[in-house]
Amino acid sequence: MEGGFGSDFGGSGSGKLDPGLIMEQVKVQIAVANAQELLQRMTDKCFRKCIGKPGGSLDNSEQSRAEPCAPPLPQKCIAMCMDRYMDAWNTVSRAYNSRLQRERANM
């Protein structure tokens, strides 16, 4: 089974699967998938919020800094949006993990 699951999940090469190794590999794959989804959602949300109408470039030539109420430049908006998104995600993640730990302790 060259290149198949047998070579990826094998333990000692004797044909037996190591359940602990498989579980760790699945956890890593889930973590990677979650990180990819987080990055995709953050990118989509911040792009929609900060790039209202695509122009020729993302420099400040399309926006006057003289306007006192001008929205931030797209680069700054995206950076701030991504920072806020990550802060919110981290807060929710900590609260969720804390709740899971409390519920596990009560079982």
Side-chain angles (χ1 to χ4, degrees), residues 7 10 12 14 35 58 61 65 73 85-86 90 96 100 104:
S7 63
S12 62
S14 64
L58 293 178
S61 63
R65 290 184 186 210
L73 298 174
Y85 195 95
M86 288 302 298
N90 286 330
Y96 178 72
L100 281 178
R104 286 181 184 152

Side-chain angles (χ1 to χ4, degrees), residues 7 11 27 38 41 43 55 59 67 75 81-82 84 90:
S7 63
K27 286 179 183 178
L38 171 65
R41 284 184 180 188
T43 301
D59 65 5
E67 298 175 42
Q75 302 96 321
C81 177
M82 293 175 90
R84 284 192 308 265
N90 286 330

